[in-house]
Amino acid sequence: MDPTYDIVVIGAGHNGLTAAGYLARAGHSVKVVEAREVVGGAALTEEFHPGFRNSVFSYVVSLLDPAVIRDLELARHGLTIVPRSSGHVNVRPDGRLLALPRDPEAAARALAEFSVKDAKAYPEFDRRLEEVGAALRGLVSAPPPNIGGGLGDLLTLALTGNALRKLSPELQGEFAKLMTMSIGDYLDEWFESEAIKGDFGFEGVIGNFVGPYQTGSAYVLLYHVFGQVEGRTGAWGHAIGGMGAITQAMARSAAAAGAEIETSAPVVEVLTEGGHAGGGRAKGVVLADGRVIRARAVASNLNPRLLFTRLVDPGLLPDDFARRMNHWRCKSGTFRMNVALDELPAFTCLADKEAPERYLNGTINICPSLDYIQAAYDDAVQLGWARKPIVSMCIPSTLDDTLAPPGKHVMSLFCQHFNPDLPDGRSWDDVREEVADVIVDTVDALAPNFKRAILGRQINSPLDIERQLGMLGGDIFHGALHLDQIYALRPAPGYADHRSPVRGLYVCGSGAPPGGGVSGLPGRNAARNIIRDFRAKRV
């Protein structure tokens, strides 16, 4: 039977929609099938309390690649992104405030209240992060070279080396440190005050279930600064209407180019032919209702472990690849909440500030020190969750009046550390409300009106995240960003180009390079290689 489509895309998360948009624009017939009743994946906006809407999972914009916005004409399809101007605010248990605005000189002045030495170091720290982040953005704009690849991969490797060679020797050294060091050791080299080390230490454990001195955790800081908003590397923005506005624009863009998108259509099998490892070929998908959708190629936005251990015939996978997928590490340690608020939180450390609300349209962190991060991690390993959790808050309604009634607000709370695997065989379903109360109490201790201002809340434990999104272990990156699971090793050596051991089956989601976050780069880069393979008649 002839294929019905050129490509079927599994999953209508942002990367699946990005891939579909590029493929349809290239003239291919594309079918997107999504298990849930809505598109968007982790980039989703919902009403969670009457009159209150917010981003459910992902919650801020930075990594979304400008080329994706431009190529898919997302602005024309309804996307508006506004900058969040106030930068980082670290609200501290000792009643002090560390406010780090985007301007590095202003941030240095604020930091001088904690350490004159750190204030002097900060502008250079900021400069190096921005320049190395820009270099990383250049590297991840295309797939990395495949280990053991051919001439094309050797050329990619040479171009990669040439791009890094353009950095000064000191910045090449900084790049190497950020790729390999722990976030704790890296910050200890730069600063002496716990305030700034706690604030930037959080950047190394976002969605990363590790302590601050685990080797390689500095890379997660670097990963989160390669994005940009309005041309500023490392800046963060807000999508008007929440993160779902991004995927709604992507869906409209893909549909306008001819892609078909079907929801409530879970895939139970990738249809293949061929009977031995390395000899298989993807021919479409089988849906839970028994329907078969045939296609010349399949692109999967799923976690690669989920794809290759549950949906693909294991006999078609080489032993090393199968072993890699069976042990693909997925563990974020993330607990995600939204709250509807009757009023803005009144943080004690802002009580004597003029116009305190101006501090509330950026990121508000409760992460006072590296020791605090370590204690949160140790608690999660031993007890299941942090008794004093790391909490990163945003109040997007200060920028976007579409999210809450007049005078009311919504707050996002992104929290660490919470062990996806609870001790003693307990289930997150049994403790999620109790743990949510711990988080609320943590914020209320620093903003005494917070608990009474809550009108409603939405809770997503690590188990909720896994069940709703297929993010195994609640892993927001579809695979931990550890040294052996990044760049040319993602998802497996020899398969960093979005291809797989099964001919015509591609990985277009966050389990491929460069990784998680709402960037669109895995979808874009996978689509480009699929288009090349069609032109070369390899599928």
Side-chain angles (χ1 to χ4, degrees):
M1 183 181 296
D2 291 335
T4 308
Y5 299 92
D6 289 336
I7 305 107
V8 60
V9 177
I10 305 173
H14 85 279
N15 277 310
L17 294 170
T18 297
Y22 276 97
L23 291 164
R25 275 169 173 72
H28 294 290
S29 58
V30 181
K31 173 80 170 185
V32 183
V33 287
E34 165 58 42
R36 302 187 75 202
E37 68 280 3
V38 293
V39 303
L44 180 69
T45 304
E46 285 182 351
E47 183 177 72
F48 66 96
H49 186 74
F52 293 82
R53 302 166 60 246
N54 202 15
S55 306
V56 182
F57 301 103
S58 60
Y59 58 102
V60 286
V61 184
S62 178
L63 301 182
L64 186 59
D65 195 79
V68 172
I69 297 173
R70 180 189 66 245
D71 295 346
L72 300 185
E73 300 180 285
L74 298 186
R76 185 168 74 84
H77 289 284
L79 179 62
T80 300
I81 297 173
V82 296
R84 297 163 65 234
S85 59
S86 64
H88 292 209
V89 174
N90 196 314
V91 290
R92 300 180 54 74
D94 60 8
R96 303 178 74 189
L97 170 74
L98 173 60
L100 292 176
R102 291 296 176 198
D103 176 64
E105 296 300 328
R109 290 193 294 273
L111 189 54
E113 297 181 19
F114 291 83
S115 166
V116 172
K117 176 183 175 183
D118 290 356
K120 291 179 179 178
Y122 184 80
E124 179 63 12
F125 168 83
D126 182 77
R127 181 189 73 82
R128 292 193 187 191
L129 268 188
E130 183 166 343
E131 293 194 26
V132 174
L136 179 63
R137 183 169 63 248
L139 293 182
V140 301
S141 63
N146 262 336
I147 292 176
L151 289 176
D153 295 289
L154 288 175
L155 177 59
T156 301
L157 182 61
L159 292 173
T160 300
N162 191 53
L164 293 179
R165 188 173 58 82
K166 293 178 182 178
L167 293 174
S168 68
E170 69 177 10
L171 289 177
Q172 290 181 37
E174 211 69 28
F175 182 85
K177 288 181 177 182
L178 284 160
M179 290 294 292
T180 57
M181 289 179 72
S182 75
I183 187 65
D185 286 327
Y186 182 74
L187 294 171
D188 284 342
E189 279 196 2
W190 278 98
F191 302 115
E192 63 181 9
S193 65
E194 289 302 326
I196 191 168
K197 288 194 283 187
D199 200 54
F200 277 94
F202 167 69
E203 302 287 342
V205 297
I206 295 174
N208 194 17
F209 190 48
V210 297
Y213 287 94
Q214 178 156 322
T215 299
S217 53
Y219 173 72
V220 180
L221 165 64
L222 176 60
Y223 189 82
H224 282 98
V225 300
F226 83 69
Q228 60 178 320
V229 171
E230 294 187 339
R232 172 72 191 275
T233 297
W236 295 84
H238 169 73
I240 297 297
M243 296 297 283
I246 296 173
T247 46
Q248 289 299 314
M250 288 176 166
R252 287 190 288 267
S253 174
E260 298 178 21
I261 302 172
E262 181 178 349
T263 57
S264 301
V267 173
V268 295
E269 180 186 349
V270 173
L271 190 66
T272 56
E273 64 179 14
H276 59 88
R281 183 186 182 98
K283 302 295 290 184
V285 298
V286 181
L287 302 184
D289 62 9
R291 284 183 295 150
V292 173
I293 300 176
R294 296 186 179 275
R296 293 171 62 191
V298 176
S300 170
N301 191 33
L302 305 181
N303 181 304
R305 192 172 90 198
L306 181 60
L307 171 66
F308 290 107
T309 64
R310 300 188 192 178
L311 302 186
V312 175
D313 179 357
L316 301 179
L317 305 177
D319 289 344
D320 284 349
F321 186 89
R323 187 181 307 111
R324 171 78 164 185
M325 291 300 97
N326 280 309
H327 296 280
W328 181 248
R329 293 191 306 284
C330 304
K331 209 176 232 191
S332 273
T334 299
F335 195 104
R336 180 74 174 82
M337 288 179 62
N338 285 320
V339 293
L341 295 175
D342 192 43
E343 61 185 2
L344 286 170
F347 289 98
T348 304
C349 60
L350 293 176
D352 62 348
K353 302 294 183 183
E354 184 178 350
E357 63 277 3
R358 69 188 175 91
Y359 294 93
L360 301 181
N361 74 359
T363 302
I364 308 156
N365 290 334
I366 300 175
C367 191
S369 67
L370 295 174
D371 286 343
Y372 188 96
I373 299 173
Q374 187 65 56
Y377 175 70
D378 291 342
D379 278 354
V381 170
Q382 297 167 18
L383 308 174
W385 62 84
R387 288 173 291 186
K388 294 182 178 180
I390 303 159
V391 184
S392 184
M393 297 161 280
C394 294
I395 310 175
S397 49
T398 60
L399 296 167
D400 182 355
D401 61 9
T402 72
L403 300 177
K408 313 299 182 185
H409 290 278
V410 292
M411 177 190 277
S412 302
L413 299 95
F414 182 94
C415 313
Q416 301 273 132
H417 278 301
F418 301 87
N419 195 337
D421 303 310
L422 291 174
D424 305 322
R426 290 175 295 171
S427 169
W428 272 105
D429 290 337
D430 299 328
V431 299
R432 61 198 298 275
E433 296 289 342
E434 175 188 348
V435 173
D437 290 341
V438 170
I439 294 167
V440 169
D441 288 342
T442 300
V443 180
D444 196 67
L446 301 179
N449 71 325
F450 180 67
K451 187 184 295 188
R452 63 176 168 80
I454 295 176
L455 301 172
R457 68 188 191 185
Q458 180 184 50
I459 300 168
N460 279 296
S461 72
L463 180 58
D464 293 321
I465 294 170
E466 174 173 323
R467 278 193 301 226
Q468 293 188 54
L469 301 177
M471 290 180 164
L472 302 180
D475 195 320
I476 65 171
F477 294 136
H478 279 189
L481 295 180
H482 295 169
L483 290 175
D484 64 325
Q485 293 192 171
I486 61 173
Y487 201 54
L489 300 176
R490 191 173 185 90
Y495 298 97
D497 58 1
H498 303 276
R499 299 176 178 95
S500 82
V502 179
R503 187 177 177 187
L505 176 59
Y506 300 83
V507 178
C508 69
S510 294
V518 183
S519 72
L521 286 171
R524 170 180 177 263
N525 292 340
R528 293 168 77 181
N529 274 355
I530 295 169
I531 292 166
R532 291 187 184 105
D533 285 354
F534 267 91
R535 288 173 180 166
K537 302 187 184 307
R538 289 194 285 262
V539 290

